Structure formats: structure tokens, C-alpha cells
Amino acid sequence: MAKLSLSVNTNTNKESGADNESRPQLSLTKKINAVTDTSETDNVVSHGLTQRIENAHSGDVSASAIDIAEWLQGLVGEEVFNELKNNPNLQLPYTDKDIDTKQWLEKIIKTFFSQNSILQINRAIGGLKSGTEEVDNITVEALVKQRMDEKIEKYNVKFQEMREKMENLEGEKAAVESKLNASLPLDLFVNGMFRNPGEETEPQKQLIQAFNEGLENGSDSKFPVFAIKFAKGWVYLESVITNLGDDEKVNLDNVYNALTKLLANISGCFVSERRIILDYTAKHCSTFFSQYDFISPEQTLNADPDIHNAGGLGNAQIKEGVSFAVVRRDTKKTVKYADIRV
């Protein structure tokens, strides 16, 4: 409120002379005292604080501005906003020139948009991100399902192929089992062909053991064929031995011829047990003679002039025997030389 005050001027005017003494003068001065209305100021401060509290409930404007700046920079690229930042028409007052692009963009957003607009923009961006993530999730799920369907289809094809193979193998197995059931057991075959209970020679027992081992091993698919062919010659050989007479020389020729037929039966049939079986056969036949021993033509790997018809063959390797050799037991002199193929 303005107030009036009275003042008295008693100053002496020295310029008008010493005798001329100025009179006292009265003056009115208007004195104005500025009084601050503290109640109005309090209302403004209170209103601003209330407004900030309300805005804090609806969303963080600064954080939203930062989110918008990051989203725009990531969407458009930092180079575009660098160009705007260096534009003199868009210079922000009271702003440090060395701030980075994201900080500058954040200040631009806060300068040109209201708080409500910033919050609204931020919500819109959030909706776009959610929609994009939802689309991405759908795409990923569809891709995963497609890949899984493809793998399942491949597995089904492989399973069907394996099933067909198993069915074919089961059919082959049944056929083999049927053949085995209808075939003659190996032990029965060996016993029927080569055994002569109570009258077997020691070499004959060893021969039977060699046949059993060869048949049970099963590693050589040719051995059963060899056994059958050998058995045919063995049957004839045994019939000759069973009917031996008193003349040893005649008996020698008959057994020699039977052994030659046996070798003819197994010609071209080569198995790992062939040499030892022929050795046992020669020893078996020798037990029925007092003066002669039979020697297998395949006893040695190379031609031996002492027992083989090896004229001009040198030390050639024997391919197979054609006939057995016979030597006198007392003199070891060869009576019949073995024929061979080299």
C-alpha cells in the first residue's frame, strides 16, 4: 500500500550569497512499499507440485522421452538425426553442443511436445512393439511347426523303409528256418557218413573231429559242399575196405583206385581243412595194410620228386592232387607216385 511522508529541507544555498539564507521548505514524498502476497505464491508452488505428482502417476515423462528417442534413433538411424542436430535452425538454447544425438533428440521431444503428448506417443510406440513381437512369435511358431512336420515326415519315411526291410528279413528268416527244419542235422550227417562204432580207426576219429569243427565253425560257406562231395567218395572207399581179400597187392590197387575216385569227387573244391582231412584219410587206409603206407598228394605245398610225378615240374606249387602216393613201410620206397595238378 502507498504512504505519504513529510520532510523538511534545511540546506543553505551558498550560491545566492552568504546573506541570503534560504528558507525551510516542505515537500511531500510518495513512498511505495512493495508487499509480496505470500498466499498467492504458496498456491502456485502447491499447484505445480500437485501437477507433477499427478503426471508421475500417469507415466514418467523423462523416461518416456528417452524411450521415444531410442526408438526413433533405432528406427531411422543416427545419421539422419545428426544432420538435424547440426542444422542451425534447430539449435536449442542453453544446450551443450557436445551432447550426443540421443540426448539432443530427447531435449527436442521435451521442447516441442507437451507431457501428455509424450506419454501418448510412448504408449503408441509400446503398442507397435507389442504387435511386432506378437507377429514375430507367430512367425517363429509357424516356422518351428513347419520344420517339425518336415522332420516327422522324414522319420516316417525312414521308419516305413526299415519296417519293409524288417518284413523282408523276417520272410527270409522264416524261409531259412524252414529249410533248416527240413534239412539233415550236421551231427547226424557226420555220424551217418563217417562213423563206424566199435570199428573206427584212430585216424578216422580225427577225421570225424575235423569235419565237426569245420561244419560247426560255419566261416567257410564251401565246406558243406566239400563234406557232401567227400562223403560220396568215402562211402565207396569204405565199401572197398570192407570187402578186402587176402591178396595185399590186389587190395592195394583197389584202395588206390577208390582214393583216386574220392579225389575226383572233391576236385575244384578247396577248403582250409582239405589237407588235414586227406592226411587222416591216407593214415586210415594205411591201417589195413601191413607193408604199405598211403600218402596224401597234398601233404606238401610244393611238388616233391620222391612221391609225386613231378618230372620237369621242379619245385612247382601243387594246386590239387589227382591220386595218392604209396610207399613201402620197411624201405620207404615209393611204389605208386602221386599225380598232381600245378
Side-chain angles (χ1 to χ4, degrees):
M1 181 180 293
K3 295 183 180 180
L4 294 176
S5 62
L6 178 63
S7 63
V8 180
N9 188 357
T10 59
N11 292 331
T12 303
N13 192 351
K14 295 180 179 179
E15 293 179 357
S16 60
D19 298 331
N20 189 10
E21 200 175 83
S22 60
R23 298 179 180 177
Q25 296 179 357
L26 296 176
S27 64
L28 292 175
T29 303
K30 186 177 180 181
K31 196 173 184 180
I32 301 175
N33 294 325
V35 180
T36 303
D37 191 348
T38 57
S39 62
E40 184 178 353
T41 303
D42 292 340
N43 290 335
V44 172
V45 173
S46 176
H47 176 71
L49 179 60
T50 305
Q51 183 66 36
R52 286 198 298 273
I53 292 173
E54 290 177 355
N55 289 338
H57 285 295
S58 61
D60 189 343
V61 176
S62 296
S64 298
I66 294 174
D67 292 341
I68 296 171
E70 289 180 350
W71 183 77
L72 286 172
Q73 186 173 335
L75 181 66
V76 178
E78 185 176 356
E79 293 79 7
V80 174
F81 293 110
N82 280 336
E83 185 178 348
L84 292 177
K85 177 185 173 185
N86 297 325
N87 191 327
N89 296 323
L90 291 176
Q91 296 297 319
L92 294 174
Y94 312 110
T95 303
D96 186 2
K97 293 182 180 181
D98 295 332
I99 62 174
D100 59 26
T101 303
K102 186 176 72 174
Q103 292 173 333
W104 177 85
L105 188 56
E106 177 190 348
K107 287 182 175 293
I108 283 287
I109 294 169
K110 289 181 178 180
T111 301
F112 288 99
F113 293 97
S114 65
Q115 294 181 356
N116 290 334
S117 296
I118 292 173
L119 296 174
Q120 184 176 351
I121 293 171
N122 194 40
R123 285 193 295 269
I125 292 174
L128 288 174
K129 289 181 178 179
S130 300
T132 303
E133 291 174 358
E134 184 176 355
V135 171
D136 289 342
N137 290 335
I138 294 173
T139 304
V140 171
E141 290 177 2
L143 182 60
V144 170
K145 185 178 183 302
Q146 179 183 355
R147 295 293 171 82
M148 288 298 295
D149 291 342
E150 291 175 356
K151 286 186 177 294
I152 290 173
E153 181 64 24
K154 290 181 180 179
Y155 288 147
N156 287 336
V157 172
K158 287 288 185 183
F159 176 77
Q160 188 63 28
E161 292 177 355
M162 292 179 64
R163 185 175 181 179
E164 291 177 358
K165 289 181 179 179
M166 287 295 295
E167 291 176 352
N168 293 336
L169 290 174
E170 287 293 333
E172 293 177 3
K173 179 182 176 183
V176 171
E177 289 179 348
S178 177
K179 289 181 180 180
L180 288 175
N181 292 334
S183 62
L184 185 66
L186 296 179
D187 57 345
L188 183 60
F189 170 79
V190 173
N191 290 332
M193 287 291 124
F194 305 109
R195 282 203 178 280
N196 188 12
E199 299 182 7
E200 294 171 359
T201 64
E202 192 61 31
Q204 185 179 357
K205 293 178 182 178
Q206 294 173 324
L207 180 143
I208 293 171
Q209 182 179 353
F211 267 104
N212 282 327
E213 291 175 355
L215 291 171
E216 290 174 1
N217 184 17
S219 59
D220 193 344
S221 60
K222 296 179 181 179
F223 192 83
V225 177
F226 172 82
I228 293 172
K229 290 184 176 183
F230 185 91
K232 292 180 181 179
W234 179 267
V235 170
Y236 179 71
L237 175 63
E238 284 297 287
S239 67
V240 171
I241 291 175
T242 303
N243 295 298
L244 289 177
D246 296 330
D247 191 336
E248 193 167 43
K249 289 186 177 180
V250 173
N251 294 337
L252 179 64
D253 291 337
N254 291 337
V255 172
Y256 178 84
N257 293 333
L259 288 171
T260 302
K261 290 182 179 180
L262 186 149
L263 289 174
N265 283 339
I266 62 173
S267 177
C269 191
F270 303 103
V271 293
S272 58
E273 293 84 356
R274 175 178 169 125
R275 288 183 62 207
I276 191 170
I277 288 175
L278 290 179
D279 283 341
Y280 291 144
T281 303
K283 292 177 181 178
H284 169 69
C285 294
S286 299
T287 60
F288 298 97
F289 293 87
S290 59
Q291 298 181 17
Y292 302 101
D293 285 326
F294 290 85
I295 299 176
S296 168
E298 299 177 17
Q299 186 184 52
T300 60
L301 296 176
N302 299 95
D304 182 357
D306 291 337
I307 60 173
H308 297 124
N309 284 325
L313 297 179
N315 197 32
Q317 187 173 1
I318 298 172
K319 183 177 180 181
E320 65 176 357
V322 177
S323 63
F324 279 69
V326 180
V327 298
R328 287 189 63 90
R329 189 169 296 170
D330 53 354
T331 62
K332 304 299 180 183
K333 197 173 179 181
T334 303
V335 178
K336 293 181 179 293
Y337 285 91
D339 293 324
I340 55 174
R341 292 191 179 96
V342 295

